[in-house]
Amino acid sequence: MSASAKDPVCGMSVDPATARGGSFEHAGHSYYFCNPRCRERFAAEPERYLSPATPPVVGPQSPTPPAAAPRSSAIYTCPMHPEVRQTGPGACPKCGMALEPATLSLDAPEDDGELLDMQRRLLVSAPLALLTALVAMAEMLPGRPLDRLLPATGSAWLQLALALPVVVWGGRPFFERGWASLVTRQLNMFTLIALGTAAAFGFSLLALLVPEALPHAASHGRVPVYFEASAVIIALVALGQVLELRARRATSGALRALLGLSPLSARRVEADGREVDVLLADVLVGDRLRVRPSEKVPVDGRVLEGRSAVDESSITGEPLPVEKAAGASVVGGTVNGSGTFVMQAEHVGQETLLARIVSLVGEAQRSRAPIARLADRASAWFVPAVLVVALLAALVWGVFGPEPRLAHALVSAVSVLIIACPCALGLATPMSIMVGTGRGAELGVLIRHAEALERLAGVDTLVVDKTGTLTEGRPRLLSCVPAPGFERAELLALAASLEQGSEHPLASAIVSGAKAEGLGLQPLADFHSQGGKGISGSVGGRRVLIGTERLLSEAGAESTALASAASEQRQGGATVVLVAVDGQSAGLLAVADPIKSSTRAALGSLREAGLRIVMLTGDAAATARQVASELGIDEVHAELLPQQKLDWVKELKQQGRRVAMAGDGTNDAPALAAADVGIAMGTGTDVALQSAGITLVQGDLRGIVRARRLSLAVMTNVRQNLVLAFAYNALCIPLAAGVLYPAFGLLLSPMVASAAMAFSSVSVIGNALRLRRAVWHTPD
């Protein structure tokens, strides 16, 4: 065995002989840990720490970008087609939209390359297109005054000179994407734009160079050209792209705001008492850090000394500062008040809550809701259908229309192609999802994927765990009752020593109770957790078991003598755990966990919304009934193992119920994963967080009220966008084809069609951005 080993979770060096977190065997190799929490994390997901994947969103931990990592190596993706991923910027091969970085980081400036390029093209194209249109309009003035300054067909040649740079240079990206769509057979909005402008420009060029090819035009002495339409369409499309790119950038505002919460440095207290400022990337687990007044808390940890009030609104969404004293946990990115304190770093880098929030929001914004399939199915046939409509319109005008028939046929076909751009349809869902998940992060509601957000709107049954969900999850030790032959101090010391290895809220209460009485804790070995039943391990050479009557009975430790005392404690609302030492019943511990102050009002709001509330808990039936009675919950199932919780969720789903499950413990993970929507309390275990589709940062049921209202608002917004997109095309395509011409003599200009196309996309994005200003009041 080597003299030292490296903790695979936090990277700290540990001595295998004295490793506080013990060891874990995996794939024939022993791993050692600095504390039991690291060991539990590794045991749950060993491959995550042995072969860690690159996180999907880079947190704000590194203040300077790595010199060896060029920006071109970044992965880019499409907001409409998140499965499209490539190295470096470019255009989506499916829809032609500009790709955007798959990861956001404060290390690198925001990538505005596509936006800047479009702005340059717009600044050049817009004035030239305007001049082209003015020259074309001059031909409509009485006496055609421009003809006196220019020779015959001079106006057409001037229009060509003005429009040529607009079409060739300004429209180059649109033609490239249009051609790519034809080559790959992925027809999209740029297919229509490229065909429409190319047809108008090509027809005009032919009419100017070979006028005899258009006998009707030649006989009237006027060359029918549409250079101004081509130029104005390109300019308007460029304008639409600029507006769209700016709006898309705005949708990532919440994520960038989260990235900006973390400070760039921390003040570390060295072993000799000196205080030095270090980069945040250099902070390690176990470091002691001083947080001064008005400073941001650098990483997640626990207060060692000092006292202050911390503003956690940026993370939890709750406006009131929270008092922090020795032993209290603090979260990186929150803002300290007027006091000062020294904290110990417990989670750094990508393990901090803020980094995980950024990662979750980034993943959610790139996920797709099931409702997006409607737009996908529509887009699959939409562009080919538009091409058919444009061709039919051209044929009808060319055969039955008034003279000049060819010119009218061209105008109607180009108008149909331009106005039917499906960009608005494609943007309808992803824009609402991106803005909604960002707004959720600001409210303390983290959406892991869009599907969970959509499903939450249809939930009719809420299943809740008790400990840490309905209750504070920070219980306190009420009593310690030893069995004959055991001393109270001995019983409590052994139990607390074993509970060091557990993350359950009851464990911290027992450990804190022992420390408050000045009892020393002994080293722990062979720690083992039996989900829903209890824990076991070796303490000072003695085998200790803590858990339910069932667990002790299975181990051969008879606990009948403690039944009366246990029943009395449970009638008072306390949770009771039994202790066995070396196979003999040793006593019981009673722990009380107060109900969260926000639970009653939150449950009332959820009931008013029509949700059925069901409690599933592994706690004793008497304790569960007491809590349920206080909260008005009629349906309670207690003393459940993780598998039984899972079975109850499946049973509810088989009844046709749409189920959301809220929990915070490892034993809740199977049920969270099986529910239609899993909701994890932010104060819960990593396994619970990974199993849930939605995480509530603050960890109380008011977050569910917020999350459901957010879900309903986002889905309403998506439907509004889809209606806008479908209605726009249903109304405008017939107009562009010329249905009003026989009755009113109205024929839609391609320039008007282009402006309408740009407006449709901007209107959909603008509607989605309304979610950024949405406010939902939650019960106190």
Side-chain angles (χ1 to χ4, degrees), residues 729-764:
N729 284 297
L731 176 65
C732 292
I733 291 177
L735 292 178
V739 295
L740 295 182
Y741 187 85
F744 302 101
L746 296 178
L747 186 60
L748 196 66
S749 164
M751 291 184 289
V752 176
S754 181
M757 178 271 293
F759 174 76
S760 69
S761 297
V762 173
S763 65
V764 164

Side-chain angles (χ1 to χ4, degrees), residues 670-732:
L672 288 171
D676 292 300
V677 182
I679 304 173
M681 301 293 143
T683 52
T685 64
D686 287 344
V687 177
L689 296 176
Q690 292 295 326
S691 302
I694 295 175
T695 299
L696 308 178
V697 174
Q698 192 176 14
D700 68 54
L701 296 186
R702 288 177 298 182
I704 299 181
V705 179
R706 289 195 195 102
R708 193 165 188 275
R709 291 174 180 171
L710 174 66
S711 173
L712 291 170
V714 170
M715 289 303 106
T716 299
N717 194 270
V718 168
R719 294 184 185 96
Q720 290 170 347
N721 282 345
L722 290 173
V723 169
L724 279 173
F726 279 117
Y728 162 82
N729 284 297
L731 176 65
C732 292

Side-chain angles (χ1 to χ4, degrees), residues 35 85 124 289 315 342 422 503 650 657 745:
N35 62 71
R85 297 175 67 85
V124 173
L289 308 172
I315 301 295
V342 176
E503 288 188 349
K650 290 181 177 179
R657 312 294 295 189

Side-chain angles (χ1 to χ4, degrees), residues 453-490:
L453 186 63
E454 179 176 343
R455 286 184 173 181
L456 184 60
V459 161
D460 56 23
T461 302
L462 175 64
V463 174
V464 292
D465 178 39
K466 182 182 77 68
T467 303
T469 303
L470 301 176
T471 62
E472 293 284 355
R474 293 191 296 271
R476 65 181 187 276
L477 181 65
L478 288 185
S479 61
C480 174
V481 181
F486 288 88
E487 296 293 331
R488 181 182 182 282
E490 174 191 22

Side-chain angles (χ1 to χ4, degrees), residues 36 39-40 494-508 510-511 524-539 542-552 554-555 577-582 589 666-667:
R39 184 187 182 281
E40 278 202 8
L494 288 171
S497 298
L498 177 59
E499 293 284 12
Q500 291 179 96
S502 174
E503 288 188 349
H504 196 282
L506 297 181
S508 61
I510 295 171
V511 173
L524 167 65
D526 299 327
F527 178 84
H528 181 62
S529 175
Q530 301 183 45
K533 292 184 179 181
I535 57 176
S536 61
S538 296
V539 177
R542 307 182 74 178
R543 190 66 184 170
V544 182
L545 189 67
I546 300 178
T548 63
E549 287 93 338
R550 183 186 306 176
L551 180 63
L552 266 67
E554 291 175 356
V577 293
L578 302 175
V579 184
V581 178
D582 294 330
L589 302 172
T666 301
N667 61 333

Side-chain angles (χ1 to χ4, degrees), residues 164-242:
L164 188 63
V166 177
V167 175
V168 174
W169 179 78
R172 178 180 175 181
F174 311 140
F175 289 114
E176 289 177 344
R177 296 174 190 182
W179 176 253
S181 71
L182 294 173
V183 171
T184 60
R185 298 182 182 179
Q186 298 280 353
L187 305 183
N188 53 54
M189 59 174 283
F190 293 103
T191 312
L192 305 181
I193 293 170
L195 289 176
T197 52
F201 190 84
F203 174 87
S204 303
L205 194 61
L206 177 67
L208 181 59
L209 298 178
V210 192
E212 59 272 16
L214 303 173
H216 177 81
S219 64
H220 283 72
R222 180 177 179 272
V223 178
V225 294
Y226 298 95
F227 293 121
E228 85 285 358
S230 303
V232 172
I233 288 171
I234 293 297
L236 288 173
V237 172
L239 174 62
Q241 288 291 292
V242 168

